[in-house]
Amino acid sequence: MSKTKTYFTNEVEKQVDEITNQYLNGLITEDAAVKNISSIDNLELVGLTKDNISDHLFYATEDAKESQ
């Protein structure tokens, strides 16, 4: 993978993680999280599409429950 693609992939991951953590901490609603994540440019670099963001949030919630 080129350095440029790696850079942009890492930036998208950081943005998705930040929004996901806000959702998990109860700072934003699921609708707000979906809206915020779907507005990220190059979202497809991390395997997310507008159709599977809710799934991502569901599994993030399940993972957070398991790690407690």
Side-chain angles (χ1 to χ4, degrees), residues 19-37:
I19 295 167
T20 302
N21 287 332
Q22 290 174 352
Y23 168 69
L24 293 174
N25 291 325
L27 300 174
I28 60 175
T29 65
E30 182 177 356
D31 290 338
V34 169
K35 181 180 176 185
N36 291 345
I37 291 173

Side-chain angles (χ1 to χ4, degrees), residues 43-67:
L43 191 59
E44 65 280 351
L45 289 174
V46 295
L48 289 175
T49 65
K50 295 180 189 314
D51 297 327
N52 67 1
I53 295 171
S54 293
D55 294 340
H56 162 73
L57 294 173
F58 172 79
Y59 289 114
T61 302
E62 292 299 311
D63 289 345
K65 288 179 187 175
E66 289 180 12
S67 65

